[in-house]
Amino acid sequence: MSSLSRELVFLILQFLEEEKFKESVHRLEQESGFFFNMKYFEEKVHAGDWEEVEKYLSGFTKVDDNRYSMKIFFEIRKQKYLEALDRQDKAKAVEILVNDLKVFSTFNEDLYKEITQLLTLGNFRENEQLSKYGDTKTARSIMLIELKKLIEANPLFREKLVFPSLKSSRLRTLINQSLNWQHQLCKNPRSNPDIKTLFTDHTCNPPNGALAPTPVNLPNAAVAKPVAYTSLGAHGPFPPAAAAANANALAGWMANAAATSSVQAAVVTASSLPVQPNQVSILKRPLTPPATLGMVEYQNADHEQLMKRLRPAQSVEEVTYPTVRQPVSWSLDDLPRTVAFTVNQGSPVTSLEFHPSHHMLLLVGCNNGEITLWGAGIREKLGSKPFKIWDILACTSTFQTSAAKDAPFAVTRVTWSPDGTFCGAAFSKHLIHLYAFAGPNDLRHHLEIDAHIGSVNDIAFAHPNKQLCVVTCGEDKLIKVWDVTGRKLFNFEGHEAPVYSICPHQKENIQFIFSTAIDGKIKAWLYDNMGSRVDYDAPGHWCTTMLYSADGSRLFSCGTGKDGDSFLVEWNESEGAIKRTYTGFRKKSTGVVQFDTTQNHFLAVGEENQIKFWDMDNINILTSTDAEGGLPSLPRLRFNKEGNLLAVTTADNGIKILANATGMRSLRAVEASPFEALRSPMEAGIKVSGSSVANVSPVNCKVERSSPVRPSPILNGVDSMARSMEKPRTLDEVNDKIKPWQLTEILDPAQCRMVTMPDSTDTTNKVARLIYTNSGVGILALGSNGIQKLWKWVRNEQNPIGKATANVVPQQWQPNSGLVMTNDLTGVNLEEAVPCIALSKNDSYVMSAAGGKVSLFNMMTFKVMTTFMPPPPASTFLAFHPQDNNIIAIGMEDSSIHIYNVRVDEVKSKLKGHQKRITGLAFSTNLSILVSSGADAQLGIWSIDTWEKRKAVPLQLPAGKAPSGDTRVQFHLDQVRLLVSHETQLAIYDASKMERIRQWVPQGALSAPISCAVYSCNSQLVFASFCDGNIGIFDADTLRLRCRIAPSAYMSQTAFNGNQSAYPVAIAAYPQEPNQFAVGLTDGSVKVIEPSESEGTWGLSPPAENAMLNGRPGSSSITASGHAPDQVQR
């Protein structure tokens, strides 16, 4: 609806209110969903008109829209249930329990059971949690307070809680103006026009010539003139600041809040549902003088201590007070100013942070969403994590709708936990990612949180109450505290602008958080629900970052004002004032300057294409360096903990490492012994075997960064002093210097973890296609008989996250109706049919065919939503368009490709160019192409904008091999590299040019034809199955074999030694864990396989060196030129 149409609805609402059409007013509010009348809602809640309460709410939200909505409906239905119990109306209570509250059992079964048990009590107040439940009126009032907070915080109610400011009778005024205008246009206007209708335009035709037009007014109705809508500003999502409150008023507010919270705590709540209630509203004092502190006098011990440290005082440019400091000798040589080396990140660096104990490990976040771990000592990239949403279904519906078009998101901040066991990344949309860090070669997905609406601007770790927590802030003006399981502990409201940065700290056992917003406000929070304790005004009144010195004794802030002036100041915490302002900023900045502190003595700021240094005790600039040039106007920078290294961003998407003399010696020492220097504390003193070191995100050492898929002419690396970051190595390759590499071979079930799907084995029905659900909780198999089976892992003690795992046997899932997902088989010869399947991004629908019509199934009910594309020709491959689930690419038996729109039931385009049936389809949104593969061993490239054919590329088959057999295609996460699998080969293509850059052919122990191959979820591995039952796991960049799984490791003796040995014909990679995959076999069984918990990964990346491996050759990979390299590659 257009903006004017929306405004017209408001005018009609005002008119109806003025004319006393009360019921019509509220029906239009509900049906339009434009204005939520909180006053009317309160009246209905107080009256206990629950049917009308839910009906009115339904115009604005549904139960499952988001966490806030779920909590709103839960509180209402819980209250309705308790009132029925209070009336001893058990029949009504059971009805409410079954019809209204049952929906919440999915999210918290224990809470639902507890509520159910109330039926067994004579008086539900016998329940300890409900012992203080008062009368119905009081309970409704308490609940209403909670509901209003939830509504105010719910994004679906944003901008719907305040009625526009309108002059009275605005609609009547507009109509009068229109009639006046019509009257003036009359050819013969009368002096007293008679307006009898609004249904047609006004005209008047007097017999005696034209008269001057006179104003026209509608007759006033004999009803009372309008009563203006009550202002609902107090109910907005971010309440306006209260007027100055005297001590007595504040004390009264505190007493009321305490009384309310004590009663609320006595009522059964849904605190364990996936939402925390909003915290107590925040009262603020009037604006304070610049750089002084305004605070609310909350009474607790921590607060008293904090107030002693943060007492209001006037701003003082220079304050001198006695301090006891031991003199420390220092010189300019202590500053890391010498450029040690430069590395190329490949994307603009947005954040960097050294590890707190591994002083040469640098964590980097980029504009393309990638997280990278660099080893400064060996000058190489140890691993990277490309941006990916781990579990889209766990995110809010608002985020889900925007994620596809906005991804990938930029990294806004990376950080380490104080002990270095976790690292975190915040992104420019909603998300934070936490990784568990067990060593330089072991960075694992730990937790994804949909943390804020809009950008997450900062992330930090803290230890309130000796519990490791994550603190975040965002564009939604909130600060939130989470534990490392993802549970929200605190939700701090009070900023009136997006929160720019946070600084958690602890002093004298007082733990608090400083926060800064883009309106220049600095606030401080204790870990409670009592609101902001202080209110600073930052210099410049814009974006500011706060940091403590390494020993925690001195507080600094640095930022830039809207006018471009930058500020670096030290704060006097005892007085709540600026102690000193540092000078040396000469140029107005277009962005925000960044700074860091080191050695409890120095400050560094990136400005004017250089790094400027200050002595903390002197306001004048100490020295500066341009780091040999190439820095951006506002470089980002970070010291390591020892202060002997400084990482600085460059203008060409790189990083320079600056060092002092001590840092230079440390770098040279690590170069001489890279592996030992990078070992984690847990590995210290332990002999590490080659098979026990995990590899994280190996980087292709044969690919130049300027073209992520073009092979480098250097195959064997270079001398350590001349190494360039353009050819990075993994830590596994460093380990090759220590111990000869060996191919990992899994021969026995004890060497890996494996689970077989229950009721899956059927020797007459092989698995034709296999796919994980995108959420990672289930796996879907399409059999050659056209029937689909779904297995799901449930959340329980053995599997607390409820995700797919080889440690727990899943359940075959079916709806209560008993329906089975069976494809149309009318007139189908199953021996000739080619089953195909595709799953929608949100796991709601699965599309499949088995020689007959294509069927669209609802994944919850298994019902067939629709069928289309009846044969002939039959469908042989299906793929959803990545940007529009209504568009489907359908490969056909007659070699054509149909671009089909499900919504309008129409084939938009027919693509022709293959000679045999289509066997594979893959979209690249980055390149705007669709790649097709066929049984003719041809690859086709089509524009997804015009659907015109761009190119055809034949596979290079062995001599004498006829062009036949299935060819499959899949894009790498970078959307440029393309994995092509055929029974004769695995190949990697640069899809931007359709040039082959890697090829592997069956050989040695893996000499049987390839049956299927896929990338791992992070595109670092390739899982390939073979017709003799073997499974090969390859390095995705080099196609070197790193692990072989023999059939004896995952199949019974009968299965692989029988007359007709079973073997995998379908393989699927788990979407969230790169080392998990599933295989579907010719005997109908489906198995999920993972490495043993002691190993964690499938072997090690094979080295580039050494032609022979302990006397035996490795499997070779052929380069783009088509010949084998000089040395045999593994």
Side-chain angles (χ1 to χ4, degrees), residues 669-915:
V670 173
E671 283 179 352
S673 180
F675 179 71
E676 292 299 323
L678 287 173
R679 285 170 63 179
S680 68
M682 291 177 288
E683 295 169 323
I686 302 174
K687 183 178 179 181
V688 182
S689 67
S691 61
S692 65
V693 182
N695 176 41
V696 173
S697 302
V699 181
N700 184 1
C701 64
K702 303 216 173 25
V703 175
E704 297 181 9
R705 184 156 304 281
S706 58
S707 173
V709 290
R710 181 154 49 94
S712 165
I714 300 176
L715 295 175
N716 296 319
V718 290
D719 180 75
S720 61
M721 293 304 293
R723 280 198 302 254
S724 165
M725 293 306 298
E726 296 290 317
K727 292 98 183 171
R729 302 179 308 170
T730 65
L731 187 63
D732 297 326
E733 291 169 342
V734 177
N735 190 29
D736 294 336
K737 306 284 188 181
I738 310 301
K739 183 175 180 177
W741 179 87
Q742 283 188 314
L743 173 70
T744 299
E745 297 194 278
I746 309 296
L747 308 176
D748 187 86
Q751 294 177 274
C752 65
R753 291 176 289 156
M754 187 270 295
V755 63
T756 301
M757 303 301 103
D759 302 319
S760 63
T761 304
D762 181 356
T763 55
T764 64
N765 177 35
K766 72 175 183 180
V767 177
R769 297 288 184 265
L770 192 64
I771 188 169
Y772 278 97
T773 60
N774 294 296
S775 62
V777 301
I779 193 164
L780 188 65
L782 173 59
S784 57
N785 61 358
I787 296 176
Q788 292 167 141
K789 294 181 179 180
L790 174 64
W791 292 271
K792 284 187 176 182
W793 280 260
V794 296
R795 195 187 303 267
N796 53 34
E797 291 182 2
Q798 291 76 29
N799 186 17
I801 61 173
K803 300 288 187 178
T805 173
N807 295 332
V808 178
V809 179
Q811 299 174 357
Q812 185 174 350
W813 195 88
Q814 269 190 299
N816 294 332
S817 64
L819 284 177
V820 175
M821 285 191 283
T822 304
N823 278 284
D824 170 52
L825 300 176
T826 306
V828 174
N829 182 347
L830 288 177
E831 293 183 359
E832 297 178 357
V834 181
C836 48
I837 189 171
L839 185 64
S840 65
K841 290 180 182 177
N842 59 6
D843 294 333
S844 296
Y845 301 99
V846 62
M847 176 176 57
S848 60
K853 296 178 184 177
V854 178
S855 299
L856 188 67
F857 295 92
N858 183 305
M859 282 281 282
M860 292 298 295
T861 64
F862 285 11
K863 290 181 179 178
V864 177
M865 308 303 293
T866 186
T867 59
F868 49 91
M869 304 298 291
S875 305
T876 57
F877 202 91
L878 303 169
F880 281 100
H881 191 292
Q883 296 171 323
D884 188 349
N885 267 347
N886 292 303
I887 303 297
I888 304 165
I890 306 176
M892 311 300 288
E893 191 176 35
D894 68 354
S895 77
S896 65
I897 303 166
H898 292 194
I899 307 302
Y900 177 76
N901 189 314
V902 178
R903 179 174 294 172
V904 298
D905 189 20
E906 181 182 342
V907 175
K908 293 295 186 181
S909 297
K910 289 186 180 181
L911 316 182
K912 296 183 178 180
H914 285 277
Q915 305 303 314

Side-chain angles (χ1 to χ4, degrees), residues 227-294:
V227 178
Y229 274 82
T230 303
S231 171
L232 295 177
H235 302 307
F238 301 102
N246 60 39
N248 291 335
L250 182 61
W253 177 83
M254 286 299 295
N256 292 337
T260 300
S261 60
S262 66
V263 178
Q264 281 180 308
V267 181
V268 176
T269 68
S271 60
S272 51
L273 285 173
V275 61
Q276 293 284 339
N278 276 10
Q279 310 300 339
V280 179
S281 300
I282 298 163
L283 292 182
K284 293 182 289 185
R285 296 178 66 90
L287 295 177
T288 55
T292 65
L293 188 63

Side-chain angles (χ1 to χ4, degrees), residues 81 124 162 255 263 306 490 583 727 872 970 1068 1105:
Y81 175 68
F124 64 79
V162 179
V263 178
L306 185 62
F490 297 99
T583 63
K727 292 98 183 171
Q970 182 188 2
E1105 304 89 346

Side-chain angles (χ1 to χ4, degrees), residues 435-453:
Y435 295 89
F437 178 79
N441 55 336
D442 198 351
L443 196 63
R444 302 178 183 178
H445 290 190
H446 176 73
L447 181 65
E448 177 179 70
I449 302 176
D450 186 349
H452 292 269
I453 297 171

Side-chain angles (χ1 to χ4, degrees), residues 510-569:
I510 309 167
Q511 296 161 326
F512 56 93
I513 303 167
F514 278 117
S515 62
T516 72
I518 64 171
D519 60 359
K521 287 296 179 184
I522 303 175
K523 296 181 182 292
W525 318 78
L526 293 175
Y527 291 91
D528 56 23
N529 297 329
M530 305 303 289
S532 170
R533 296 309 208 279
V534 302
D535 197 345
Y536 290 110
D537 280 318
H541 300 278
W542 198 40
C543 298
T544 296
T545 304
M546 305 187 78
L547 285 176
Y548 275 90
S549 57
D551 61 6
S553 63
R554 303 173 74 174
L555 175 63
F556 302 88
S557 73
C558 180
T560 303
K562 289 184 178 179
D563 58 1
D565 291 328
S566 297
F567 300 88
L568 176 63
V569 303

